[in-house]
Amino acid sequence: MKTVEVAAAIIKQDGKILATQRGYGDYEGYWEFPGGKLEPGETGEQAVVRELKEEMDATVAIDQFVITVEYDYPQFHLIMHCYLCHVAEGKLKLLEHHAAKWLSAAEFEDVNWLGADIEVLEALKAQELVG
C-alpha cells in the first residue's frame, strides 16, 4: 500500500475552527482540514503555508503543532501532520473546495468528516484547543 504524507492547517478564529469540503477526488463532498502533500525536502510547516496560499489564497501563521495522525484508507496509508494556525495575511477564498464552515466543538459532528480528520478533532478536544 502506498503512503501519502500531508500537512493540514487547523485554522482557528474566534474560538472556532475552519472545516472545508473536498471539491474533487474519491472523497469529494467529505469535510477535512485544508492542506496537502509534502513536496520533497519540505517540512510540514512549509507545506501548510504553501498549500493554504495555493488552495485559499491566504497566508497562515503556525501557532503550534497539534498531532500527527496515521490512518489507513482503502487506497493508501496517510501520515498527516496537523498545525494550529491563524490567518496572518489575506482573506480565505475557496479555490479548490466546495464549501467551508467555521465550527465550534459542539458543531464538529454537523459535517461528514474524513476518517483521519476525526482523530484530529478528538485531539483538539483532548488538548482543549477549541471551545
Side-chain angles (χ1 to χ4, degrees):
M1 180 180 297
K2 81 173 179 177
T3 296
V4 177
E5 188 172 12
V6 302
I10 304 163
I11 303 172
K12 188 174 178 182
Q13 182 175 299
D14 300 325
K16 295 186 174 190
I17 54 119
L18 183 70
T20 54
Q21 189 179 34
R22 285 185 66 87
Y24 59 89
D26 291 339
Y27 297 99
E28 181 177 355
Y30 282 88
W31 291 78
E32 65 181 356
F33 293 105
K37 292 180 187 172
L38 273 68
E39 292 183 351
E42 192 174 45
T43 66
E45 292 92 340
Q46 291 167 330
V48 162
V49 172
R50 177 186 51 76
E51 285 284 347
L52 269 288
K53 190 69 177 167
E54 291 174 6
E55 289 184 3
M56 305 190 94
D57 194 29
T59 300
V60 295
I62 295 171
D63 298 314
Q64 73 181 72
F65 169 77
V66 176
I67 190 172
T68 294
V69 171
E70 294 204 29
Y71 190 87
D72 287 324
Y73 286 100
Q75 305 89 338
F76 59 92
H77 175 73
L78 179 74
I79 300 171
M80 182 168 64
H81 309 288
C82 303
Y83 302 88
L84 192 64
C85 305
H86 67 274
V87 177
E89 190 177 304
K91 291 188 176 182
L92 298 172
K93 299 175 190 163
L94 297 181
L95 302 176
E96 293 187 14
H97 295 91
H98 282 319
K101 292 183 182 185
W102 291 100
L103 302 174
S104 67
E107 298 169 316
F108 284 171
E109 294 180 22
D110 290 355
V111 299
N112 192 16
W113 291 93
L114 285 167
D117 295 83
I118 292 170
E119 292 188 25
V120 178
L121 295 171
E122 291 169 3
L124 289 173
K125 289 179 191 175
Q127 296 178 39
E128 298 181 355
L129 294 174
V130 290

